[in-house]
Amino acid sequence: MDLFAGNNYGNINYYTNNGSGVFSSQGLLQANGTDISVGSYSDPTFADIDGDGDLDLFVGNDLGYIFYYKNLSLTSNAGEDAEEICSLSYTLHANQPDAGKTGTWTIQSGGTGSFDDIHAYNAVFTADAKNAYVLRWTVSDGSNTVFDDAQITFNSDTENPIITCVGNQTVDADANHNYTVNGSEFDPISTDDNCAVASVINDINSSTTLAAETLSEGTTTVTWTVYDEAGNSSVCSFNILVNAYVGITDITGSDIHIFPNPVNDFVTLDINNPGNSKNVKIQVCNILGEILIENKVLRNKEKIDLSELKPGMYVINILTDNRIFTSKIIKK
């Protein structure tokens, strides 16, 4: 390390180090060909204030002033080595040359490629292949040159994207024994990727959404697949159970008859087994929906004993394999 020492005349004495701690005087430090002088009692220090990779000079004096001298020596800094996995383009980060100096990018190894501007310190380099490139930043003042290299490695994206689905779902079929998907309710909750998501599709309609899709009664397994721009993929799946349609029909207008109504103690149901169901049940419920009496129907005409019930309004449900018939009765 060389030595710079201020003196009481405001100058700076410059001494070079031969590497063994032996210093040789080089006279006074100059700026623009003239000895530096800040008045009296100079106190020098160095710092890279402009971030161009070289040390600039700051000199204080006994009056409290600080003098700034920019270092205009040739400096080349190609920036840090880097890795790019999401594309074949990379924005470089070299130092910006001082006024009157020119910087130039060149490819030293790795293959072929191009710069959008070979003289721009922040040029965009586009590689022709996935490879490790050594790129050189050369700075010149017309007489002298300095250079620095940066290795930019272009690798393939091997990281799979991320997809999150809803959990298993249960819905009820409509009168057509289908369920129509409401908007995006069964679409993925989220997708993500270290680079960029390219597409998301499902295996039901090969589309990006299940909105308005018709699902039949029973269980349907839905699988969503997400792809990134490199072709990596991930999947998530879930089941949608569509419950069978069970219609609820008022007994009025059907072939089922209930009499008498109002009733004292016994009510008779003329059922005629609607729909030829194999299993038919009768329920008597209060207005809160609580089941008070439940019988299996064994005959076309069933008599139900209501003598234990208090006077009031009740609901009679007749449950078949695929339908519920309902009617209100009044107990005297």
Side-chain angles (χ1 to χ4, degrees), residues 283-309:
Q283 295 175 343
V284 179
C285 305
N286 61 22
I287 59 175
L288 298 177
E290 298 170 331
I291 299 174
L292 305 177
I293 300 172
E294 184 172 74
N295 295 332
K296 185 174 183 180
V297 174
L298 300 177
R299 298 171 295 276
N300 286 344
K301 284 189 177 182
E302 289 287 337
K303 184 177 287 189
I304 303 173
D305 184 359
L306 305 181
S307 61
E308 298 296 325
L309 301 182

Side-chain angles (χ1 to χ4, degrees), residues 109-173:
S109 64
T112 57
S114 61
F115 302 91
D116 65 340
D117 183 350
I118 62 170
H119 298 301
Y121 67 96
N122 57 351
V124 175
F125 175 71
T126 301
D128 290 337
K130 298 286 186 180
N131 208 349
Y133 285 75
V134 174
L135 307 178
R136 176 165 293 177
W137 179 236
T138 301
V139 177
S140 173
D141 62 2
S143 301
N144 303 293
T145 60
V146 292
F147 63 83
D148 186 43
D149 295 336
Q151 179 171 298
I152 310 301
T153 303
F154 296 90
N155 282 329
S156 298
D157 176 15
T158 58
E159 185 172 337
N160 291 330
I162 299 172
I163 184 170
T164 303
C165 282
V166 300
N168 293 335
Q169 304 289 308
T170 300
V171 295
D172 296 323

